[in-house]
Amino acid sequence: MRIGIYGGSFNPIHKGHTELAASIVQQGLVDELWLLVSPLNPLKQGETSDIAEYEHRLSMARLATEDIEGVKVSDFEKNLPLPSYTITTLGELHKAYPEHEFVLVIGADNWERFPRWYHAQEIIDTYSILIYRRPGCEMDETLLPLSVQVVDTPLYDISSTEIRESVKKGRMPLKWVDRKVATYIRVHHLYSPL
């Protein structure tokens, strides 16, 4: 099977994440899409002050995707050394599941800083990459390597940071947060000021 790997902190997961994942599967770009909940993003190591515990982020991702066909949640990176670099994760996935082809799914904002990624060129040379558009990120598709494809998905102008800020102010943006996830955040007092 062709498996899309969409990694992130998902702190918290929101409808932008899930609707994007569903769109990629529905378009037949991958057979399944695995949301890989990252214990620690190497490019965000200084930004951990309001990150929910890993198990909470994993639970919210599972709640948000339980009714989405073809979209799974994976804790694969939990058992890898930290920080978990994408090239390492993809290599370990290939060893664990040699029957699958793994495709990296990233946003245009991440593509802009892709040269900073650990072993970026090796990722480009070894794996296919699907890039989804992000508001404010312009891309010249004629300059992309052959292994990289821009996919046509809806634009979602929302971020987990904005959701956390809303929750801190006592507002739950239900337009962007699945009701089961919203309930989970409330019950576990996530992102709320102490």
Side-chain angles (χ1 to χ4, degrees), residues 18-147:
T18 55
E19 291 177 19
L20 173 81
S23 173
I24 288 172
V25 173
Q26 288 160 4
Q27 291 183 57
L29 296 163
V30 294
D31 298 305
E32 280 185 0
L33 189 138
W34 294 359
L35 291 175
L36 213 63
V37 181
S38 303
L40 178 66
N41 182 331
L43 295 178
K44 294 184 178 178
Q45 286 189 65
E47 304 172 25
T48 56
S49 59
D50 63 350
I51 193 163
E53 289 179 19
Y54 182 75
E55 294 303 326
H56 285 313
R57 292 183 285 119
L58 195 62
S59 295
M60 289 187 286
R62 287 180 172 143
L63 286 170
T65 58
E66 61 188 4
D67 298 323
I68 304 175
E69 192 172 339
V71 177
K72 316 275 187 207
V73 173
S74 172
D75 65 356
F76 189 83
E77 282 191 328
K78 182 172 76 169
N79 298 314
L80 297 180
L82 294 176
S84 190
Y85 294 104
T86 299
I87 188 66
T88 305
T89 300
L90 289 169
E92 292 300 318
L93 281 165
H94 180 71
K95 282 185 207 169
Y97 305 98
E99 70 277 17
H100 295 322
E101 173 194 357
F102 292 100
V103 178
L104 182 62
V105 177
I106 63 172
D109 53 337
N110 272 315
W111 181 251
E112 285 179 349
R113 49 183 182 257
F114 201 76
R116 291 174 44 207
W117 286 33
Y118 185 67
H119 286 236
Q121 191 58 51
E122 186 180 346
I123 296 171
I124 291 167
D125 293 342
T126 311
Y127 299 94
S128 296
I129 302 173
L130 300 178
I131 300 177
Y132 58 89
R133 298 178 194 281
R134 294 277 289 164
C137 296
E138 296 302 320
M139 295 183 59
D140 184 347
E141 295 180 41
T142 63
L143 301 176
L144 295 176
L146 291 176
S147 61

Side-chain angles (χ1 to χ4, degrees), residues 2-30:
R2 182 173 158 95
I3 309 289
I5 296 298
Y6 178 17
S9 302
F10 302 110
N11 184 42
I13 193 165
H14 54 68
K15 291 179 183 177
H17 296 132
T18 55
E19 291 177 19
L20 173 81
S23 173
I24 288 172
V25 173
Q26 288 160 4
Q27 291 183 57
L29 296 163
V30 294

